[in-house]
Amino acid sequence: MSDSSAMAAEQRALDLEKTADWYRRFRLFETPGQSELYADWAGGVQSDAEVLALIIGLPRPKRQPNLVFACARLLGAPLAGYRIFRRWLVEHWPAVAAEARVRATQTNEPRRLTAVMPILASIGPRVALIEVGASAGLCLYPDRYSYDYSGRRVDPADGPSPVLLSAETTGSVPLPKHPPEVVWRAGLDLNPLDVHNPEDVRWLQTLVWPEQAERRRRLDAAMSIARRDPPLLVAGDAVVDLEALVARAPQGVPLVIVSPAVLVYLAPEQRAAFADAVTGFGRWISLDGVGVLPRVDALLPETPVPGDFIVSLDGRPVARCGPHGQTLDWIVG
């Protein structure tokens, strides 16, 4: 075997190992309590050499479990156990792979605002808001939603919202009487989604995991709010195009830039460049999995647990939360 062939074989073996581990970690840390079906599928994939070989034919960012599973479901994969799903996936793999190459997991989960809203309120009663990785912009309405923090309710100033975001909490979460008013809202995304476009709506709905009926109802209710008052959504790159959008924000109110669970999709050097630049534009709230922003993880009072999401303000951790905002552990006084 030539040196180049040996290197290619070594790289393939490494890709198979890393992808299997990705699906293993997805099963262990993201699916518990969220989707037994996705746990079953991920567990099957992680030990299935033939399916793993298909998946590593995709570009590395496109091998993500949630993306592969969502593309399969969009194309009609049966919501059945792994043996049946596997047969369908192998048979339809060319179509699934083509779909995965042109899509991204633009999961637009408003519930993540349970971690963001208290920080926004600490910044001011009125804010301008930019979301990076905005998808359809559903996380740009923290002032239009109601919240429940382990039985402590926070409603908009004009009364309860049809969208209720709940989180089980620990620690002393600082809750305002009402969410702060957002006087201007805008989102930046490589491919913004339009809640008036049926195909975009179908993709957003497919990104909701199979058993999550409550989450699907929450998504549909949030889209109704966005349809009545659409946000400004701009197609652009998080690092390259943020400054131009910042220049459009109004003066006289604090500008807050939010990046909820999006930096994981950037290369490490892009994450560092974004983190260096963003604090020069305004206040920055980040919500990222452990390992995405090592400089934030290093400031935690305790060693982070794999699967945790860290909420930070201007690069300093303030809380841990569930990936979809379902739990919130406040770690600062």
Side-chain angles (χ1 to χ4, degrees), residues 117 141-149 153-165 176-182 185 225 228:
M117 189 276 291
Y141 296 87
D143 53 339
R144 307 286 179 85
Y145 303 146
S146 290
Y147 303 82
D148 185 299
Y149 295 90
R153 180 95 176 204
V154 179
D155 289 312
D158 58 357
S161 169
V163 178
L164 176 63
L165 310 177
K177 184 177 180 180
H178 302 294
E181 179 188 0
V182 178
R185 62 192 96 225
I225 289 175
R228 290 195 296 270

Side-chain angles (χ1 to χ4, degrees), residues 117-204:
M117 189 276 291
I119 306 175
L120 283 177
S122 74
I123 294 171
R126 303 171 76 247
V127 298
L129 186 63
I130 290 177
E131 182 188 3
V132 175
S135 185
L138 303 185
C139 288
L140 286 168
Y141 296 87
D143 53 339
R144 307 286 179 85
Y145 303 146
S146 290
Y147 303 82
D148 185 299
Y149 295 90
S150 294
R152 294 179 294 167
R153 180 95 176 204
V154 179
D155 289 312
D158 58 357
S161 169
V163 178
L164 176 63
L165 310 177
S166 61
E168 292 299 319
T169 64
T170 53
S172 301
V173 183
L175 297 180
K177 184 177 180 180
H178 302 294
E181 179 188 0
V182 178
V183 300
W184 180 85
R185 62 192 96 225
L188 184 67
D189 197 287
L190 287 174
N191 178 37
L193 300 182
D194 182 356
V195 293
H196 293 94
N197 182 315
E199 288 304 312
D200 286 353
V201 168
R202 182 169 174 244
W203 178 236
L204 285 169

Side-chain angles (χ1 to χ4, degrees), residues 94-106:
V96 174
E99 200 72 40
R101 289 176 185 276
V102 299
R103 291 196 179 271
T105 51
Q106 295 173 282

